[in-house]
Coordinates of all heavy atoms in Angstrom, one line a residue:
M9 N 135.0 148.2 141.3 CA 134.3 148.0 140.1 C 133.4 146.8 140.1 O 132.3 146.8 139.6 CB 135.4 147.9 139.0 CG 134.8 147.7 137.6 SD 134.1 149.3 137.0 CE 133.7 148.8 135.4
R10 N 133.9 145.7 140.7 CA 133.2 144.5 140.8 C 131.9 144.7 141.6 O 130.9 144.1 141.3 CB 134.0 143.4 141.4 CG 133.4 142.1 141.4 CD 134.3 141.0 141.8 NE 133.6 139.7 141.8 CZ 134.1 138.6 142.1 NH1 135.4 138.5 142.4 NH2 133.4 137.5 142.1
R11 N 132.1 145.5 142.7 CA 130.9 145.8 143.6 C 129.8 146.6 142.8 O 128.7 146.3 142.9 CB 131.4 146.6 144.7 CG 130.4 146.8 145.8 CD 131.0 147.5 146.9 NE 130.2 147.3 148.1 CZ 130.5 147.8 149.3 NH1 131.5 148.5 149.5 NH2 129.7 147.5 150.3
V12 N 130.2 147.5 142.0 CA 129.2 148.3 141.2 C 128.5 147.3 140.2 O 127.3 147.4 140.0 CB 129.9 149.4 140.4 CG1 129.0 150.1 139.4 CG2 130.5 150.4 141.4
K13 N 129.2 146.4 139.6 CA 128.6 145.5 138.7 C 127.6 144.6 139.3 O 126.5 144.3 138.9 CB 129.7 144.6 138.0 CG 129.7 144.6 136.5 CD 130.8 143.7 136.0 CE 131.4 144.3 134.8 NZ 132.4 143.5 134.2
C14 N 128.0 144.1 140.5 CA 127.1 143.3 141.3 C 125.8 144.0 141.7 O 124.8 143.4 141.6 CB 127.8 142.8 142.6 SG 126.9 141.6 143.6
M15 N 125.9 145.2 142.2 CA 124.8 146.0 142.6 C 123.9 146.3 141.4 O 122.7 146.3 141.5 CB 125.2 147.3 143.2 CG 126.0 147.1 144.6 SD 124.9 146.3 145.8 CE 123.8 147.6 146.2
T16 N 124.5 146.6 140.2 CA 123.7 146.8 139.0 C 122.9 145.6 138.6 O 121.7 145.7 138.3 CB 124.6 147.2 137.8 OG1 125.4 148.4 138.3 CG2 123.9 147.6 136.6
C17 N 123.5 144.5 138.7 CA 122.8 143.2 138.4 C 121.7 142.9 139.4 O 120.6 142.5 139.0 CB 123.8 142.0 138.3 SG 124.9 142.0 136.9
L18 N 122.0 143.2 140.6 CA 120.9 143.0 141.7 C 119.7 143.9 141.4 O 118.6 143.5 141.5 CB 121.5 143.2 143.0 CG 120.5 143.0 144.2 CD1 120.0 141.6 144.3 CD2 121.3 143.3 145.5
L19 N 120.0 145.1 141.1 CA 119.0 146.1 140.8 C 118.2 145.7 139.7 O 116.9 145.8 139.6 CB 119.5 147.5 140.7 CG 118.5 148.6 140.4 CD1 117.6 148.8 141.5 CD2 119.3 149.9 140.1
A20 N 118.8 145.3 138.6 CA 118.1 144.9 137.4 C 117.2 143.7 137.6 O 116.1 143.6 137.2 CB 119.1 144.5 136.3
A21 N 117.7 142.7 138.4 CA 116.9 141.5 138.8 C 115.7 141.9 139.6 O 114.6 141.4 139.3 CB 117.7 140.5 139.5
L22 N 115.8 142.8 140.5 CA 114.7 143.3 141.3 C 113.7 144.0 140.5 O 112.5 143.8 140.6 CB 115.1 144.2 142.5 CG 115.8 143.5 143.6 CD1 116.5 144.6 144.5 CD2 114.9 142.7 144.4
L23 N 114.1 144.9 139.5 CA 113.1 145.6 138.7 C 112.4 144.6 137.7 O 111.2 144.8 137.6 CB 113.9 146.6 137.9 CG 114.4 147.8 138.7 CD1 115.3 148.8 137.8 CD2 113.3 148.6 139.2
M24 N 113.1 143.6 137.3 CA 112.5 142.6 136.4 C 111.4 141.8 137.2 O 110.3 141.6 136.6 CB 113.5 141.8 135.7 CG 114.3 142.5 134.7 SD 115.6 141.4 133.9 CE 114.7 139.9 133.5
S25 N 111.7 141.4 138.4 CA 110.8 140.6 139.1 C 109.6 141.5 139.5 O 108.4 140.9 139.5 CB 111.4 140.0 140.4 OG 111.8 141.0 141.3
A26 N 109.7 142.7 139.8 CA 108.6 143.6 140.1 C 107.7 143.8 138.9 O 106.4 143.9 139.0 CB 109.0 144.9 140.7
A27 N 108.3 143.9 137.7 CA 107.5 144.1 136.6 C 106.7 142.9 136.1 O 105.7 143.0 135.5 CB 108.4 144.6 135.4
L28 N 107.2 141.7 136.5 CA 106.5 140.5 136.1 C 105.4 140.1 137.0 O 104.6 139.2 136.7 CB 107.6 139.3 136.0 CG 108.6 139.6 134.9 CD1 109.6 138.4 135.0 CD2 108.0 139.6 133.5
A29 N 105.3 140.7 138.2 CA 104.3 140.3 139.2 C 102.9 140.8 138.6 O 102.7 141.9 138.4 CB 104.5 140.9 140.5
P30 N 102.0 139.9 138.5 CA 100.6 140.2 137.9 C 99.9 141.1 138.9 O 100.1 140.9 140.2 CB 100.0 138.9 137.7 CG 100.6 137.9 138.5 CD 102.0 138.4 138.7
A31 N 99.0 141.9 138.4 CA 98.2 142.8 139.4 C 97.3 142.0 140.3 O 97.2 142.4 141.4 CB 97.3 143.7 138.5
E32 N 96.9 140.8 139.9 CA 96.0 140.0 140.8 C 96.7 139.5 142.0 O 96.1 139.1 142.9 CB 95.4 138.8 140.0 CG 94.4 139.3 138.9 CD 95.1 139.6 137.6 OE1 96.2 139.1 137.4 OE2 94.6 140.4 136.8
A33 N 98.1 139.4 141.9 CA 98.8 138.8 143.0 C 99.4 139.8 143.9 O 99.9 139.5 145.0 CB 99.9 138.0 142.4
R34 N 99.2 141.1 143.6 CA 99.7 142.1 144.6 C 98.8 142.2 145.8 O 97.6 142.1 145.8 CB 99.7 143.5 143.9 CG 100.6 143.6 142.8 CD 100.7 145.0 142.2 NE 101.5 144.9 141.0 CZ 101.2 145.5 139.9 NH1 100.1 146.3 139.9 NH2 101.8 145.4 138.8
R35 N 99.5 142.2 146.9 CA 98.7 142.2 148.2 C 98.5 143.6 148.7 O 99.3 144.5 148.6 CB 99.5 141.5 149.3 CG 99.6 140.0 149.0 CD 100.1 139.2 150.3 NE 100.2 137.9 150.0 CZ 99.2 137.0 150.3 NH1 98.1 137.5 150.7 NH2 99.3 135.7 150.0
D36 N 97.3 143.9 149.3 CA 97.0 145.1 149.9 C 97.9 145.2 151.1 O 98.0 144.3 151.9 CB 95.5 145.1 150.3 CG 95.1 146.5 150.8 OD1 95.8 147.4 150.7 OD2 94.0 146.4 151.3
A37 N 98.4 146.4 151.4 CA 99.3 146.6 152.6 C 98.6 146.4 153.9 O 99.2 146.0 154.9 CB 100.0 148.0 152.5
R38 N 97.3 146.6 154.0 CA 96.6 146.5 155.2 C 95.8 145.2 155.4 O 95.1 145.1 156.4 CB 95.7 147.7 155.4 CG 96.5 149.0 155.5 CD 95.6 150.1 155.9 NE 96.4 151.3 156.0 CZ 96.1 152.5 156.3 NH1 94.8 152.6 156.6 NH2 96.8 153.5 156.4
S39 N 95.9 144.3 154.5 CA 95.2 143.0 154.6 C 96.0 142.0 154.0 O 96.8 142.2 153.2 CB 93.8 143.2 154.0 OG 93.8 143.2 152.6
D40 N 95.5 140.7 154.2 CA 96.2 139.6 153.6 C 95.4 139.0 152.4 O 95.8 138.0 151.8 CB 96.4 138.5 154.6 CG 97.5 138.8 155.7 OD1 98.4 139.6 155.3 OD2 97.4 138.3 156.8
R41 N 94.4 139.7 152.1 CA 93.6 139.2 150.9 C 94.2 139.6 149.6 O 94.8 140.7 149.6 CB 92.1 139.5 151.1 CG 91.9 141.0 151.0 CD 90.4 141.3 151.3 NE 90.2 142.7 151.4 CZ 89.8 143.5 150.3 NH1 89.7 142.9 149.1 NH2 89.7 144.8 150.5
L42 N 94.0 138.9 148.6 CA 94.6 139.3 147.3 C 93.6 140.2 146.6 O 92.5 140.2 146.8 CB 94.7 138.0 146.4 CG 95.8 137.0 146.8 CD1 95.7 135.8 145.9 CD2 97.1 137.6 146.8
E43 N 94.2 141.2 145.9 CA 93.4 142.1 145.1 C 92.7 141.3 144.0 O 93.4 140.5 143.2 CB 94.2 143.2 144.5 CG 93.5 144.2 143.6 CD 94.4 145.2 143.0 OE1 95.4 145.5 143.6 OE2 94.1 145.6 141.9
T44 N 91.4 141.4 143.9 CA 90.7 140.6 142.9 C 90.3 141.5 141.7 O 90.0 142.7 141.8 CB 89.3 140.1 143.4 OG1 88.6 141.2 143.9 CG2 89.6 139.1 144.5
P45 N 90.5 141.0 140.5 CA 90.2 141.8 139.3 C 88.7 142.1 139.3 O 87.9 141.2 139.6 CB 90.6 140.9 138.1 CG 90.7 139.5 138.7 CD 90.9 139.7 140.1
R46 N 88.3 143.3 138.8 CA 86.9 143.7 138.7 C 86.3 143.3 137.3 O 87.0 143.5 136.3 CB 86.8 145.1 139.0 CG 87.3 145.5 140.3 CD 86.8 146.8 140.8 NE 85.4 147.0 140.8 CZ 84.6 146.5 141.8 NH1 85.2 145.9 142.8 NH2 83.3 146.7 141.7
Q47 N 85.1 142.9 137.3 CA 84.5 142.6 136.0 C 83.9 143.8 135.3 O 84.0 143.9 134.1 CB 83.3 141.6 136.2 CG 83.8 140.2 136.7 CD 84.8 139.6 135.7 OE1 84.6 139.7 134.6 NE2 85.9 139.0 136.2
E48 N 83.5 144.8 136.1 CA 83.0 146.1 135.5 C 83.5 147.2 136.3 O 84.0 147.1 137.4 CB 81.5 146.1 135.5 CG 80.9 145.8 136.9 CD 79.4 145.6 136.8 OE1 78.9 144.8 136.1 OE2 78.7 146.4 137.5
G49 N 83.5 148.4 135.7 CA 84.1 149.5 136.5 C 85.6 149.6 136.3 O 86.2 149.1 135.3
I50 N 86.3 150.1 137.3 CA 87.8 150.2 137.2 C 88.4 149.5 138.4 O 87.7 149.4 139.4 CB 88.2 151.7 137.2 CG1 87.8 152.4 138.5 CG2 87.6 152.5 136.0 CD1 88.5 153.8 138.5
S51 N 89.6 149.1 138.2 CA 90.4 148.4 139.2 C 91.1 149.4 140.1 O 91.1 150.6 139.8 CB 91.4 147.4 138.6 OG 92.4 148.2 138.0
L52 N 91.6 148.9 141.2 CA 92.3 149.7 142.2 C 93.5 150.4 141.4 O 93.9 151.6 141.6 CB 92.7 149.0 143.4 CG 93.5 149.8 144.5 CD1 92.7 151.0 145.0 CD2 93.8 148.9 145.7
D53 N 94.3 149.5 140.7 CA 95.4 150.0 139.9 C 95.0 151.1 139.0 O 95.8 152.1 138.8 CB 96.1 148.9 139.1 CG 96.9 148.0 140.0 OD1 97.2 148.3 141.2 OD2 97.1 146.8 139.5
E54 N 93.9 151.0 138.3 CA 93.5 152.0 137.3 C 93.1 153.3 138.1 O 93.4 154.4 137.6 CB 92.3 151.5 136.5 CG 92.6 150.5 135.5 CD 91.4 149.8 135.0 OE1 90.3 149.7 135.7 OE2 91.5 149.4 133.8
A55 N 92.4 153.2 139.2 CA 92.0 154.4 140.1 C 93.3 155.1 140.6 O 93.3 156.3 140.5 CB 91.2 153.9 141.2
V56 N 94.3 154.3 141.0 CA 95.6 155.0 141.4 C 96.3 155.7 140.3 O 96.7 156.8 140.5 CB 96.5 153.9 142.1 CG1 97.9 154.4 142.2 CG2 95.9 153.4 143.4
A57 N 96.3 155.1 139.1 CA 96.9 155.7 138.0 C 96.2 157.0 137.5 O 96.8 158.0 137.3 CB 97.0 154.8 136.8
R58 N 94.9 157.0 137.7 CA 94.0 158.2 137.3 C 94.3 159.3 138.3 O 94.5 160.4 137.9 CB 92.6 157.8 137.3 CG 91.7 158.9 136.9 CD 90.2 158.5 136.8 NE 90.1 157.5 135.7 CZ 88.9 156.9 135.5 NH1 87.8 157.2 136.2 NH2 88.8 156.0 134.5
V59 N 94.3 159.0 139.6 CA 94.5 160.0 140.6 C 96.0 160.6 140.5 O 96.2 161.8 140.5 CB 94.3 159.4 142.0 CG1 94.8 160.4 143.1 CG2 92.8 159.2 142.3
R60 N 96.9 159.7 140.2 CA 98.3 160.2 140.0 C 98.4 161.1 138.8 O 99.0 162.2 138.9 CB 99.2 159.0 139.9 CG 100.7 159.4 139.8 CD 101.6 158.2 139.6 NE 101.5 157.3 140.8 CZ 101.3 156.0 140.6 NH1 101.1 155.4 139.4 NH2 101.2 155.2 141.7
R61 N 97.7 160.7 137.7 CA 97.8 161.5 136.5 C 97.0 162.9 136.7 O 97.5 163.9 136.3 CB 97.1 160.7 135.4 CG 97.2 161.4 134.0 CD 96.7 160.5 132.9 NE 95.3 160.1 133.2 CZ 95.0 158.8 133.4 NH1 95.9 157.9 133.5 NH2 93.7 158.4 133.6
E62 N 95.9 162.9 137.3 CA 95.1 164.1 137.5 C 95.6 165.1 138.5 O 95.5 166.2 138.4 CB 93.6 163.7 137.9 CG 92.9 163.0 136.8 CD 91.5 162.6 137.2 OE1 91.1 162.8 138.3 OE2 90.8 162.0 136.3
T63 N 96.3 164.5 139.6 CA 96.9 165.5 140.6 C 98.3 165.8 140.4 O 98.7 166.8 140.9 CB 96.7 164.8 142.0 OG1 97.5 163.7 142.1 CG2 95.2 164.6 142.3
G64 N 99.0 164.9 139.7 CA 100.5 165.1 139.6 C 101.2 164.8 140.9 O 102.3 165.1 141.0
G65 N 100.5 164.2 141.8 CA 101.1 164.0 143.2 C 101.7 162.5 143.3 O 101.7 161.8 142.4
H66 N 102.1 162.2 144.5 CA 102.7 161.0 144.9 C 101.7 160.2 145.7 O 101.3 160.6 146.8 CB 104.0 161.2 145.6 CG 104.6 159.9 146.1 ND1 105.3 159.1 145.2 CD2 104.7 159.4 147.3 CE1 105.8 158.0 146.0 NE2 105.4 158.2 147.2
V67 N 101.3 159.0 145.2 CA 100.2 158.2 146.0 C 101.0 157.5 147.2 O 102.0 156.9 147.1 CB 99.6 157.1 145.1 CG1 98.7 156.2 145.9 CG2 98.8 157.8 144.0
L68 N 100.4 157.9 148.4 CA 101.0 157.3 149.7 C 100.3 156.0 150.0 O 101.0 155.1 150.5 CB 100.7 158.3 150.8 CG 101.3 159.7 150.6 CD1 100.9 160.6 151.7 CD2 102.9 159.6 150.5
S69 N 99.0 155.8 149.8 CA 98.4 154.6 150.1 C 97.0 154.5 149.3 O 96.5 155.5 148.9 CB 98.1 154.4 151.5 OG 97.1 155.3 152.0
A70 N 96.6 153.3 149.1 CA 95.3 153.0 148.4 C 94.7 151.8 148.9 O 95.4 150.7 149.1 CB 95.6 152.9 146.9
Q71 N 93.4 151.8 149.1 CA 92.7 150.6 149.6 C 91.3 150.6 149.1 O 90.7 151.7 148.9 CB 92.8 150.6 151.2 CG 92.1 151.7 151.9 CD 92.3 151.6 153.4 OE1 92.2 152.6 154.0 NE2 92.5 150.4 153.9
A72 N 90.7 149.4 149.0 CA 89.3 149.2 148.6 C 88.4 149.2 149.9 O 88.8 148.5 150.8 CB 89.2 148.0 147.7
R73 N 87.3 149.8 149.8 CA 86.3 149.7 151.0 C 85.0 149.4 150.4 O 84.6 150.0 149.4 CB 86.3 151.0 151.7 CG 87.6 151.2 152.5 CD 87.4 152.5 153.4 NE 88.5 152.6 154.3 CZ 88.7 153.5 155.2 NH1 87.7 154.4 155.4 NH2 89.7 153.5 156.0
E74 N 84.2 148.6 151.1 CA 82.8 148.4 150.8 C 82.0 149.4 151.5 O 82.0 149.5 152.7 CB 82.4 147.0 151.2 CG 83.1 145.9 150.5 CD 82.8 145.9 149.0 OE1 81.7 146.2 148.6 OE2 83.7 145.6 148.2
E75 N 81.3 150.3 150.7 CA 80.5 151.3 151.3 C 79.2 151.5 150.5 O 79.3 151.4 149.2 CB 81.3 152.7 151.2 CG 82.5 152.8 152.1 CD 83.2 154.1 152.0 OE1 82.8 154.9 151.2 OE2 84.1 154.3 152.8
R76 N 78.2 151.6 151.2 CA 76.8 151.9 150.6 C 76.5 150.9 149.5 O 76.1 151.3 148.4 CB 76.7 153.3 150.0 CG 76.8 154.4 151.2 CD 76.7 155.8 150.6 NE 78.0 156.4 150.9 CZ 78.7 157.1 150.1 NH1 78.3 157.4 149.0 NH2 79.9 157.6 150.6
G77 N 76.8 149.7 149.7 CA 76.4 148.7 148.7 C 77.4 148.6 147.5 O 77.1 147.8 146.6
G78 N 78.5 149.3 147.5 CA 79.4 149.3 146.4 C 80.8 149.4 146.9 O 81.1 149.7 148.1
T79 N 81.7 149.3 146.0 CA 83.1 149.4 146.4 C 83.6 150.9 146.1 O 83.4 151.4 145.1 CB 84.0 148.4 145.6 OG1 83.6 147.2 145.8 CG2 85.5 148.5 146.0
T80 N 84.3 151.4 147.1 CA 84.9 152.7 146.9 C 86.4 152.6 147.2 O 86.8 151.9 148.1 CB 84.4 153.8 147.9 OG1 82.9 153.8 147.7 CG2 84.9 155.1 147.8
Y81 N 87.2 153.2 146.4 CA 88.7 153.2 146.6 C 89.1 154.5 147.3 O 88.7 155.6 146.9 CB 89.4 153.2 145.2 CG 89.1 151.9 144.4 CD1 88.8 152.0 143.1 CD2 89.2 150.6 145.0 CE1 88.5 150.9 142.3 CE2 88.9 149.5 144.2 CZ 88.6 149.7 142.9 OH 88.3 148.6 142.2
R82 N 89.8 154.4 148.4 CA 90.3 155.5 149.2 C 91.8 155.6 148.9 O 92.6 154.7 149.2 CB 90.1 155.3 150.7 CG 90.4 156.4 151.5 CD 90.2 156.0 153.0 NE 90.5 157.0 153.9 CZ 91.7 157.2 154.5 NH1 92.6 156.3 154.3 NH2 91.9 158.2 155.3
I83 N 92.1 156.7 148.2 CA 93.5 156.9 147.8 C 94.1 158.2 148.4 O 93.6 159.3 148.3 CB 93.6 157.1 146.2 CG1 93.0 155.8 145.6 CG2 95.0 157.3 145.8 CD1 92.8 155.9 144.2
K84 N 95.1 158.0 149.2 CA 95.8 159.1 149.9 C 97.0 159.6 149.0 O 97.9 158.8 148.6 CB 96.3 158.7 151.3 CG 96.9 159.8 152.1 CD 97.4 159.3 153.5 CE 96.3 158.6 154.3 NZ 96.9 158.2 155.7
V85 N 97.0 160.9 148.7 CA 98.0 161.4 147.8 C 98.7 162.6 148.4 O 98.0 163.4 149.0 CB 97.4 161.7 146.4 CG1 96.3 162.7 146.5 CG2 98.4 162.1 145.4
L86 N 100.0 162.7 148.2 CA 100.8 163.9 148.5 C 100.9 164.8 147.3 O 101.5 164.4 146.3 CB 102.2 163.5 149.0 CG 103.1 164.6 149.5 CD1 102.5 165.4 150.7 CD2 104.4 164.1 149.8
L87 N 100.2 165.9 147.3 CA 100.2 166.9 146.2 C 101.5 167.6 146.0 O 102.3 167.7 147.0 CB 99.1 167.8 146.4 CG 97.7 167.2 146.5 CD1 96.6 168.3 146.8 CD2 97.3 166.4 145.3
P88 N 101.8 168.1 144.8 CA 103.1 168.8 144.5 C 103.3 170.0 145.4 O 104.5 170.3 145.7 CB 102.9 169.2 143.0 CG 102.0 168.2 142.4 CD 101.0 167.9 143.5
N89 N 102.2 170.6 146.0 CA 102.4 171.8 146.8 C 102.7 171.4 148.3 O 102.8 172.2 149.2 CB 101.2 172.7 146.7 CG 100.0 172.1 147.3 OD1 100.0 170.9 147.8 ND2 98.9 172.8 147.1
G90 N 102.8 170.0 148.6 CA 103.2 169.6 149.9 C 102.0 169.1 150.8 O 102.2 168.7 151.9
T91 N 100.8 169.4 150.3 CA 99.6 169.1 151.1 C 99.2 167.6 150.8 O 99.5 167.1 149.7 CB 98.4 170.0 150.8 OG1 98.0 169.9 149.4 CG2 98.7 171.4 151.2
M92 N 98.5 167.0 151.8 CA 98.0 165.7 151.6 C 96.6 165.7 151.4 O 95.9 166.5 152.1 CB 98.4 164.8 152.8 CG 98.0 163.3 152.6 SD 98.0 162.4 154.1 CE 96.6 163.0 155.0
R93 N 96.0 164.8 150.6 CA 94.6 164.8 150.2 C 94.1 163.4 150.1 O 94.9 162.5 149.6 CB 94.3 165.6 148.9 CG 92.9 165.7 148.6 CD 92.7 166.7 147.4 NE 91.4 166.5 147.0 CZ 91.0 166.9 145.7 NH1 91.9 167.3 144.9 NH2 89.7 166.7 145.4
V94 N 92.9 163.0 150.6 CA 92.4 161.7 150.4 C 91.3 161.9 149.4 O 90.4 162.7 149.5 CB 91.8 161.2 151.8 CG1 91.1 159.9 151.6 CG2 92.9 161.1 152.8
I95 N 91.3 161.0 148.4 CA 90.4 161.1 147.2 C 89.7 159.8 147.2 O 90.3 158.7 147.3 CB 91.2 161.3 145.9 CG1 91.9 162.7 146.0 CG2 90.2 161.3 144.8 CD1 92.7 163.0 144.8
S96 N 88.4 159.8 147.1 CA 87.5 158.6 147.0 C 87.1 158.4 145.5 O 86.7 159.4 144.9 CB 86.3 158.8 147.8 OG 86.6 158.8 149.2
V97 N 87.3 157.2 145.1 CA 86.9 156.9 143.7 C 85.9 155.8 143.7 O 86.2 154.7 144.3 CB 88.2 156.5 142.8 CG1 87.8 156.1 141.4 CG2 89.3 157.5 142.9
D98 N 84.8 156.0 143.0 CA 83.7 155.0 143.0 C 84.3 153.9 141.9 O 84.6 154.2 140.8 CB 82.4 155.5 142.4 CG 81.3 154.5 142.4 OD1 81.0 153.9 143.4 OD2 80.8 154.4 141.2
A99 N 84.3 152.6 142.4 CA 84.8 151.5 141.5 C 84.0 151.3 140.4 O 84.4 150.9 139.3 CB 85.0 150.3 142.4
A100 N 82.6 151.4 140.5 CA 81.7 151.1 139.4 C 81.8 152.2 138.3 O 81.8 151.8 137.1 CB 80.3 151.0 139.9
S101 N 81.8 153.4 138.7 CA 81.8 154.5 137.6 C 83.1 155.2 137.3 O 83.3 155.8 136.3 CB 80.8 155.6 138.1 OG 81.2 156.3 139.2
G102 N 84.0 155.1 138.3 CA 85.3 155.8 138.2 C 85.3 157.2 138.5 O 86.2 158.0 138.4
E103 N 84.1 157.7 139.1 CA 84.0 159.1 139.5 C 84.7 159.4 140.8 O 84.7 158.5 141.7 CB 82.5 159.5 139.6 CG 81.8 159.5 138.4 CD 80.3 159.8 138.5 OE1 79.9 160.2 139.7 OE2 79.5 159.6 137.6
T104 N 85.4 160.6 140.9 CA 86.0 161.0 142.1 C 85.1 161.9 142.9 O 84.3 162.6 142.4 CB 87.3 161.7 141.8 OG1 87.1 162.8 141.0 CG2 88.3 160.8 141.1
N105 N 85.3 161.8 144.3 CA 84.5 162.6 145.2 C 85.4 163.6 145.9 O 86.5 163.3 146.2 CB 83.8 161.8 146.2 CG 82.8 160.8 145.6 OD1 82.4 160.9 144.4 ND2 82.6 159.7 146.3

């Protein structure tokens, strides 16, 4: 019983600490640079949320790339039917390709 209580407290503490981490401080998995907030367009977090909502899938990875003079978000998602798809989102307009 004591072990269950300890694990529950530990899980609650981990969930609270993850919720309190600001988006600007989250690190990209493939680089050591901090994610910077965007002044116009959409952020990487917003693009991920949009792709998750529109596809109903599970996001496997997301990264920002500088392409053709602008930023493009590359989001890899596992769709409900089991297929994997890579979706590009333009950071300035929010349009998907």
